[in-house]
Amino acid sequence: MIRTAAVLLLLCALPAPARSQRPDEAPAPETAEARARMDRKLDALDEALAATPHDPALHWERLRTLYVLAVAEEARLRDARATLVWLRGSAEPGSDAAHRLDAYEGALEVVRGKHAFWPHDKVGHVRAGLRTLDTAVAEAPDDIEVRNLRLLSTFYLPFFFGRDDTARADLQALSTLLPAHPRALPPEAFGAVVEFVLEHGQLDDHTAHTLRVLHAETLERRSTPGDGGQ
């Protein structure tokens, strides 16, 4: 069984069955060691940004890292939103980048629901975030990052949110999109998405084999400096 306990920029899956989770049990770094590694990753990004503060690729990496950290630490939400606002400044309306930022807006709202104290507030934030994510997917159905953000935001929700169909649709879409766009994300983030689809998707033998090969190739790319998507 493929696990995702390593440092993941976009995905850190819980081992428990999805439908047993509550909105406050969304994916988060599984261990203190994993969280510490992500903290070190963030420190390295901040150091790089001190030297090149206007590098969009570094800000995208920072947003991905902060998104995962925010699931476990509410204090990270403000920093994640600040990074999102910075990226908005250079994103053309209607562009791929704008759709991805919309998806992060929705995903962070779902995370805000995770940290809310009152159940009514939890549900309200989650539903608002899901509406934003649904719009982002409708506008960019073939974008891997957009699809994955909605998948992560829905997969661990309890049944009463009624998100089984969209979770299955996102898994199915990703199983097709990943082989077609092997450099859509930086290798570490891309590999995490592949792992999740392999573990949770209902795949035929051919698709599963294709994704396993793709995952092995992605692991090799991780050691290549500068290799990755936006």
Side-chain angles (χ1 to χ4, degrees):
M1 186 177 191
I2 298 172
R3 297 300 305 278
T4 53
V7 181
L8 304 178
L9 296 182
L10 194 59
L11 164 67
C12 288
L14 289 173
R19 300 306 172 245
S20 70
Q21 303 303 312
R22 304 190 307 272
D24 60 340
E25 292 179 325
E30 292 179 350
T31 65
E33 180 183 359
R35 193 178 304 179
R37 287 177 185 155
M38 296 201 73
D39 284 334
R40 290 194 295 272
K41 174 70 175 180
L42 187 62
D43 289 343
L45 286 168
D46 287 343
E47 183 177 347
L49 281 166
T52 55
H54 302 295
D55 186 340
L58 291 175
H59 284 276
W60 276 103
E61 286 291 281
R62 194 169 192 272
L63 179 59
R64 294 178 182 118
T65 304
L66 284 166
Y67 164 63
V68 177
L69 286 171
V71 175
E73 304 172 44
E74 184 179 10
R76 304 287 189 171
L77 274 173
R78 180 178 296 183
D79 205 1
R81 289 187 180 279
T83 302
L84 191 153
V85 168
W86 189 96
L87 287 164
R88 286 262 189 221
S90 59
E92 293 291 331
S95 65
D96 291 343
H99 295 318
R100 290 180 195 127
L101 291 170
D102 289 342
Y104 271 104
E105 191 82 51
L108 289 171
E109 186 69 10
V110 172
V111 173
R112 186 181 175 193
K114 169 202 182 299
H115 293 297
F117 181 78
W118 298 107
H120 177 77
D121 291 338
K122 284 181 177 291
V123 172
H125 289 307
V126 170
R127 286 180 172 161
L130 294 179
R131 286 194 296 271
T132 302
L133 282 160
D134 287 342
T135 298
V137 171
E139 293 177 347
D142 296 330
D143 189 286
I144 287 174
E145 193 155 20
V146 171
R147 283 278 189 175
N148 187 59
L149 284 165
R150 187 174 72 168
L151 175 60
L152 293 181
S153 298
T154 59
F155 191 81
Y156 291 94
L157 292 177
F159 72 92
F160 65 79
F161 280 95
R163 303 302 301 204
D164 286 12
D165 288 346
T166 54
R168 282 194 294 267
D170 291 337
L171 280 167
Q172 181 60 40
L174 286 169
S175 71
T176 301
L177 291 169
L178 289 165
H181 305 282
R183 294 177 183 268
L185 291 168
E188 190 169 15
F190 189 88
V193 182
V194 176
E195 287 181 2
F196 194 87
V197 174
L198 275 169
E199 182 170 352
H200 298 290
Q202 297 180 349
L203 310 173
D204 58 52
D205 290 344
H206 174 73
T207 301
H209 174 74
T210 299
L211 290 178
R212 291 189 194 101
V213 172
L214 181 61
H215 186 257
E217 293 172 350
T218 303
L219 288 176
E220 293 180 1
R221 287 174 51 214
R222 290 185 183 183
S223 60
T224 304
D227 189 7
Q230 179 168 286

